[in-house]
Amino acid sequence: MKNIDSTSHVRGESVYLDDIPLVEGTLFACVYDSQIAHGILKSIDTTAAEQCDGVVRVITANDLVGENQIGGIVPDEPLLADGEVHFCGQPIAIVLATSEELARKAAHKITAIIDPLEVVTDPRVAAARESFIVPPKKFILGDTTAAFAECEYVFEGRTEQNGQEHLYIETQGAYALPTENGGIRVYSSTQGPTAVQRAVCRVTGLPMHKVEVDVQRLGGGFGGKEDQANAWAGICAVATQLTKRPVKYALHRMEDMRMTGKRHPYSSDYKIGLDKDLKIVAYEASFYQDAGAACDLSPAVLERTLFHCTNSYYVPNVTATAYCCRTNLPPNTAFRGFGGPQGMFVIECAIAHAAEKLGIAPAEIQRRNLIIDGDQFPYGQVAESDAGTSWTQAEQKYDLARLEQEAEEFNTSSRWLKKGVAAMPVCFGISFTKTPMNQARSLVHVYTDGSVAVSTGAVEMGQGVNTKMAQVAASMFGLDIGRVKVHTTNTLRIANTSPTAASAAADLNGKATQMACESIRTRLFEVAKDLVEAASIEDLSLRDGLVYSRGEKTSLEWQTLVLEAHLQRVNLSEHAHYATPGIHFDWSTAKGHPFAYHVYGTAFVGVTVDCLRGRYEVDYVKCCHDFGTSMNTAVDNGQMEGGIVQGLGWVTMEEVVYDKDGRLRSNALSTYKVPDIYSVPKKIAIAPLETDRENLAIYNSKAVGEPPLMYGLAGYFAIRNAVRSFVLENGGSPEVPFPAFDLPFTPEKVLTALYPEIALAAQSGS
Amino acid sequence: MISFILNNTDIRTELPPGMTVLDLVRYQQNLKGTKIGCREGDCGACTILVGELVADEVKYRSMTSCLMPLANAAGKHIVTIEGINPEDGSLTPVQQAMVDESGTQCGFCTVGFVMALTGACLDGTARSPESAISAVDGNICRCTGYKSIERAATRLSGSSRSCGRVVPEYFSNIAGRLRELYEIDNGIESTRPKTVAAVVGGGTDLYVQRPAEMAETDSRPLLYDEKLRGIREVDGLIEIGGSATVTDLLESPVMQAAFPKLYEHLKLISSTPIRNMATLAGNFVNASPIGDMTVWFLALDGELELAEAGGSVSRTLPLRSLYLGYKQLARTPDELITAVRFKKPAAGFRFNFEKISKRTYLDIATVNTAMSLTVDGATIADAHISAGGVAPVPLYLMKTSAYLRGRKADEETVEEAQTIAQTEISPISDVRGTAEYKRLLLRQLFRAHFVEMFGI
């Protein structure tokens, strides 16, 4: 089953925000944003901009009718800067003009006087000043202090991880239109229609029932449009409120890159203790998260770092502490994995450190510590684990020992090219860790011609959620998928939605759709029972557009049944609500059962490093992954390949560069590099984990959006192993761990690691 | 007045010649299939095909419409996805391959891939899986991880038949219509704007650096000036017109004969659509310290021919004398680079080009360098080395080149030359790397030249 949007995509007929036909009188917005990362906003001069051709109005904080606030978890983010600026790229004023070009040109004419204050871009500096957005959070299992005393080996170290630009190819944007009685309709490129609705209501002072948010689809989201679509919708809505005209703002790429937050950089400390059998007995970690200048979703991201701090391993004694540090960067935000990858990276570094010191392969430690059924995660949930199965099946299928041996043999006969191999088990929990968010609704209409319309809270952004929704309805009604249309995500049809995030949209909205279809189907069966003279509705089923009775085809067609039901005044619509059962979490004890289930898997990654030039290629990613029972292998494999490559991009070439003044230097596609077709692994092999376990996923088809990204981490360790092989072969005896754990592993860091002495000499010489 | 064919429609427009084709198709012609991703030629979402009449046939090339001034569309067939779509709602073989292999997820970049692959099918590039894939080397997809797109491209490769009918029937009349357009307008010149305020080659740098200004400038396009495009041998020299594109070099039998690794090296330079647009003269006058083609021709000790626009007087200047300081050139504003010449490689000639960037392909160099040697037995008879990204200008390494002449290609020579090269450079730290890294890189790439040429 292909993605139902494929045809309109390849014909260029799918509609994105910037493709919506314009309403007469539409104005175009452009934001004037701060060029100073931290300072007192003394004054704003908009006179020159107001006199520009085509300019209708310039809006600053004082003009807002509602509250100047868009912060979700913590109210610390004004829509427009007022009094102070806290990051470069913070919106200060909105220019409205009759064309996009004129608005942009006029925005350049605005000036602001800002008295600069000290700029902090390092989360450790913020932590030293206790500049935290929320109080530190802690997970404790067992007693690490006592356990370390008993350990055979104890290693301590530090890791750095940089951010990641989402680089959805469609930039952020919104289009607001006035509706009667002072209402506003907003088209938004958002993963969170309700979040947009709330933000719009707050800044306009309107009640939620007067604001409609509609989302057709996104040209990519990856978390970047979960919370950060709010500002642009708020800006357009405020402008519409003040001018009574439609207002559109589709951001220029460079505006998008400098004004929006990214994946959180982390600086972390670890301490790992093992017994003589290489069992991890104790683990401590401190995570310093660079949250940026405002809260955004940072605390939730931070929590997931803690949830995944031991990855797929069982560690009986754990103390993990996480700090949400306020700096002067744009507020960092959700990004596929949502803090999970950051947590996993640190324990993988700790394991690599131990292995390098002990002179063994990290896999020796990894495989001995995989969590098994009945083990407890640090947050109290008891594992139903496929960590070991996925590792074993990956080994059976791809033979890690042989891969390692091949690399070693290659390396002995090659002077400049060196191969490296690494393994990465992944265990990722599915559910929003904030339990109340695990709910969804679906509205299903069956029309009298037999066609079916589905609306849910899920937003289509390429992940194929609409295809899965259509599959659910089609299979419930026994129809060809062409009879089902999944409509826009709209807050009038589906209220109070959770964002499409946490890999959970297909599960939550799919289950709701299944329930809605089930109710309609039951009512239809009551009608059909008499028509086909069945004894009970239990005998009835729907298949190929026909009613079946006790598995036998009847002459009653779906369309006839639907029409008959309508004539009998039977309700052909249903609005169903689903809430994930059995999940709970108590932050006062930091224990509970937050996840509906976990997704497991194991990947082996091989790379070749050109040690003359410091560049590298990924030879393969071989992976055994837990899909449950995939309801759409085309869609799910696409998520796998895309996630793996995005993860590899994060650990290799994707480098977010801010200067010490908090200005983004990697501010365009010419300076921020995501994988192109030549930098992806030469081979990606994916074997589904063979399992019959039941789970809470829709049709047993487990969530697949985020987990594969974390396989990409193995790319880092594989490059590291190749680099170490070259350095050791050439007589180097660097102190372990070598090289320093520092993401991303750019060609610069690779070459510098390959030639540490020369790099050092150049540094002192220049 | 600019005249061209847009899909199946003749266009005559008074719109500003500096406006981008992207803005024309999306906002003037309401053809929303072409997407905006970056407006700097780095994502390929806005890829279109540009058909040019060459010897009675229309040759189609992929280009990024965000960097293409309307002036460069004059006399061309401009094709967007709407001009490819079968009218009955069905799919072309390219579109079908993308659907069948799940090569589309969010769909935003998809049209760019479809256009690039269609171009590859039209011009025969899609003869092998590798070459079909190379057609989308300028397209960024953030969703799929590309493997599905590789499968789609592979499916389209092989016998030309497998591409089948990739464009609608009306394409067969385009050659005639372009000829007619040419005749009606009494030669292509008259379809172009008369006033000249700026000279634009392919626009691939100017439209990145100052898009707003360029949109309002009456530009004189050079990209399709036949007089400035040829590649030929003259009196032991190879002469290349200033408007030749990187693709022209790639496809030139003269260049292919002179440089056995031509494709391998030029593949490192930007992407297919940009190579289809970017001109040599544009690369030289842009004066970027990391201009790839500049570094290439510096190592060939190339000589420029400069002429005043419209004038008949010309002069010559060694390429290495063009650069006075950061973005400062030894030429008058009215002078155009009409050609570059270099000595035709003879026996003993060796050439190597190296480039390192954060992403190996489709990226701007952190450091690039080229070296050409003439080797006589074991001795280096002549040497020219260039380096980019290590000084305010693209550098000709004068001292290092001089040192190498007359030396043996051995370990001692490499090490000494590496040391001399370090004295000639003055890199700075920027977003592409620290100064220390650039020093280390040049050292390594210098070694790479010798590894490639001599295996040492």
Side-chain angles (χ1 to χ4, degrees), chain A residues 2-3 5-7 9-16 18-21 100-101 104-105 164-171 217-220 222 248 252-254 335-336 415-416 460-463 611-617 634-635 638-639 641-643 645-646 649 653-655 657 665-666 668-684 746-749 751-752 755 758-759 762-763 766, chain B residues 23 26-27 32-40 42-43 45 81-82 85-91 95-96 98-102 104-111 113-114 130 133-137 139-151 208 212 216 263 267-268 352 354-364 411 431-437 439-441 443-445 447-448 451-452 455-456:
Chain A
K2 301 299 171 197
N3 187 316
D5 287 339
S6 302
T7 303
H9 284 351
V10 297
R11 287 176 57 93
E13 293 168 345
S14 299
V15 176
Y16 303 83
D18 195 36
D19 304 332
I20 296 170
E100 197 181 319
E101 294 73 34
R104 200 152 279 137
K105 204 183 267 184
Q164 184 176 25
E165 163 65 44
H166 301 84
L167 219 105
Y168 27 69
I169 310 291
E170 180 207 30
T171 55
R217 66 164 56 70
L218 316 187
F222 314 112
K248 177 176 162 180
H252 187 278
R253 174 64 61 187
M254 288 171 85
F335 195 137
R336 204 176 198 171
R415 179 178 175 194
W416 295 115
E460 175 60 43
M461 48 189 175
Q463 86 282 40
C611 298
L612 179 59
R613 300 172 177 86
R615 66 185 177 204
Y616 40 73
E617 290 181 332
V635 164
Q639 287 297 295
E641 291 175 343
V645 168
Q646 205 165 50
M653 69 185 75
E654 295 189 34
E655 187 172 34
V657 183
R665 290 304 179 195
S666 52
L669 268 70
S670 52
T671 43
Y672 184 80
K673 293 298 168 184
V674 299
D676 66 338
I677 199 162
Y678 286 135
S679 46
V680 301
K682 293 197 186 72
K683 185 174 174 55
I684 296 181
T746 56
E748 171 163 1
K749 288 181 197 160
L751 197 69
T752 307
Y755 300 93
I758 298 166
Q763 212 163 13
S766 62
Chain B
D23 286 324
R26 275 190 68 82
Y27 302 121
K32 297 289 180 72
T34 306
K35 303 299 179 200
I36 304 174
C38 70
R39 283 191 182 271
E40 55 171 357
D42 262 318
C43 79
I81 190 73
E82 292 83 359
N85 284 337
E87 275 180 24
D88 62 0
S90 65
L91 302 180
Q95 292 169 327
Q96 192 64 54
M98 285 287 280
V99 169
D100 290 348
E101 298 296 343
S102 296
T104 174
Q105 288 187 19
C106 85
F108 202 80
C109 70
T110 303
V111 163
F113 279 91
V114 169
E130 294 73 29
I133 288 167
S134 77
V136 294
D137 61 5
N139 295 84
I140 294 297
C141 169
R142 192 57 157 160
C143 293
T144 62
Y146 301 96
K147 299 311 280 185
S148 51
I149 296 169
E150 279 181 13
R151 292 191 283 272
V208 174
E216 293 170 1
Y263 177 69
K267 188 182 168 190
L268 291 165
N352 189 48
E354 295 283 339
K355 169 177 172 175
I356 293 291
S357 40
K358 217 168 258 179
R359 182 170 68 199
T360 301
Y361 299 97
L362 182 55
D363 198 358
I364 296 166
E411 186 62 35
V431 70
R432 304 194 191 285
T434 60
E436 297 78 41
Y437 172 53
R439 282 190 175 274
L440 175 59
L441 251 190
R443 176 184 178 277
Q444 293 303 115
L445 296 184
R447 164 71 65 178
V451 170
E452 293 296 323
I456 57 170

Side-chain angles (χ1 to χ4, degrees), chain A residues 4 24 41 65 79 122 128 176 289 294 298 313 324 378 408 489 581 585 589 707 724 737:
Chain A
I4 51 173
E24 202 181 340
L41 180 56
V65 175
L79 180 70
D122 179 346
Q289 176 199 50
S298 296
Y313 309 110
C324 186
E408 210 169 300
T489 315
F585 195 75
T589 56
R724 288 176 53 79

